[in-house]
Amino acid sequence: MTKSDLIARLAARYPQLVAKDADFAVKTILDAMAESLARGQRIEIRGFGSFGLNYRPPRVGRNPKSGEKVHVPEKHVPHFKAGKELRDRVDARLNEEAAARLAAPRVASADMAVAGN
Amino acid sequence: MEDPTTTERLPAAADAASAQTLTKAELADLLFEKVGLNKREAKDMVETFFEEIRTALENGSSVKLSGFGNFQLRDKPQRPGRNPKTGEEIPITARRVVTFHASQKLKSMVEAHYGGGSSDL
């Protein structure tokens, strides 16, 4: 799903709004989130997850081509931790898929067994 | 003369907390102010925004928000683990997890504010 897919889905769910509003709403939310992180402010969305910054201390790295030592300065990188509801929903689907595979063994695995013999 | 109620009414602790963290309430306020949705629509829209992303991920699709970042799915195989309290060995079952990769634009925005001289990429 891309940003334009997301905008289209929101526009479809809110027929009372003009499509331009869904577009502007998505951009407003994403801009606010990006600006918060840039200011070092955390984002906490209950049931979805939290965003913050992780600190990376300065270190001596190497240019992989020349083997030369280079100083890599300290930096802050954005970090996301999925919330419980998101974690559970994503994982539940994996378990459903696994159960479905066990219930209906695929022909492909039978073919592979023959090829292996 | 200053109106004393404007300063008195602000609960200092709550104000400090909201300055630290962005939540759905602040996002809804922005949609109300900037997009002109009414309060109810704004609150719903924020909720739906995150729900659509959750649903896409739940259905196994990655979500790519250009300029912000990508949410991707990783299937992890079962691996051996330990109960840290008892030391007992227990398998950590196979699972699907969500990972987020910030876009180059978001990383540069963070660096520009935080990184000192390293922002002029």
Side-chain angles (χ1 to χ4, degrees):
Chain A
M1 181 168 81
T2 63
K3 184 153 65 180
S4 37
D5 296 332
L6 177 58
I7 292 167
R9 280 168 183 270
L10 290 177
R13 281 182 73 150
Y14 295 95
Q16 77 276 22
L17 300 180
V18 284
K20 192 165 55 71
D21 285 342
D23 181 271
F24 192 31
V26 166
K27 286 174 182 159
T28 301
I29 293 173
L30 291 175
D31 283 353
M33 291 172 71
E35 279 161 23
S36 283
L37 282 173
R39 285 196 303 266
Q41 202 183 29
R42 280 175 59 77
I43 305 169
E44 286 179 14
I45 309 295
R46 185 70 51 87
F48 184 79
S50 60
F51 297 84
L53 298 181
N54 277 350
Y55 173 69
R56 299 268 185 274
R59 62 187 174 88
V60 178
R62 273 178 195 279
N63 179 331
K65 252 187 207 153
S66 62
E68 212 180 322
K69 282 185 180 174
V70 283
H71 174 72
V72 182
E74 63 166 1
K75 60 179 176 182
H76 289 83
V77 293
H79 170 77
F80 172 70
K81 184 167 185 287
K84 182 163 167 46
E85 186 194 338
L86 178 58
R87 247 184 299 144
D88 289 351
R89 280 172 60 178
V90 162
D91 196 37
R93 192 54 67 90
L94 175 72
N95 293 333
E96 275 170 35
E97 285 169 16
R101 270 199 300 277
L102 285 177
R106 284 175 309 175
V107 185
S109 56
D111 285 348
M112 273 163 58
V114 171
N117 284 341
Chain B
M1 280 260 273
E2 263 183 45
D3 179 2
T5 55
T6 50
T7 43
E8 252 172 26
R9 288 230 178 121
L10 286 175
D15 199 43
S18 67
Q20 297 277 312
T21 309
L22 181 73
T23 65
K24 285 191 280 198
E26 281 83 37
L27 290 172
D29 285 347
L30 276 172
L31 295 187
F32 170 73
E33 289 162 22
K34 292 198 174 178
V35 186
L37 305 186
N38 69 40
K39 295 258 183 187
R40 205 199 143 67
E41 285 169 339
K43 190 165 173 276
D44 273 10
M45 179 68 89
V46 170
E47 193 53 57
T48 310
F49 173 91
F50 291 106
E51 178 54 25
E52 288 291 349
I53 298 176
R54 276 194 297 252
T55 304
L57 291 168
E58 181 179 25
N59 292 334
S61 313
S62 59
V63 176
K64 300 182 177 190
L65 304 173
S66 75
F68 186 74
N70 297 344
F71 294 92
Q72 280 162 340
L73 296 163
R74 282 181 83 98
D75 284 339
K76 301 201 156 194
Q78 178 176 319
R79 63 191 167 92
R82 249 174 221 289
N83 179 333
K85 254 185 208 154
T86 63
E88 187 192 354
E89 269 202 49
I90 34 165
I92 297 170
T93 54
R95 59 194 59 201
R96 177 173 289 171
V97 297
V98 178
T99 59
F100 174 70
H101 300 273
S103 71
Q104 201 50 54
K105 186 184 166 204
L106 178 57
K107 287 185 196 166
S108 317
M109 278 174 74
V110 169
E111 281 301 282
H113 284 67
Y114 260 92
S118 54
S119 56
D120 47 355
L121 293 171

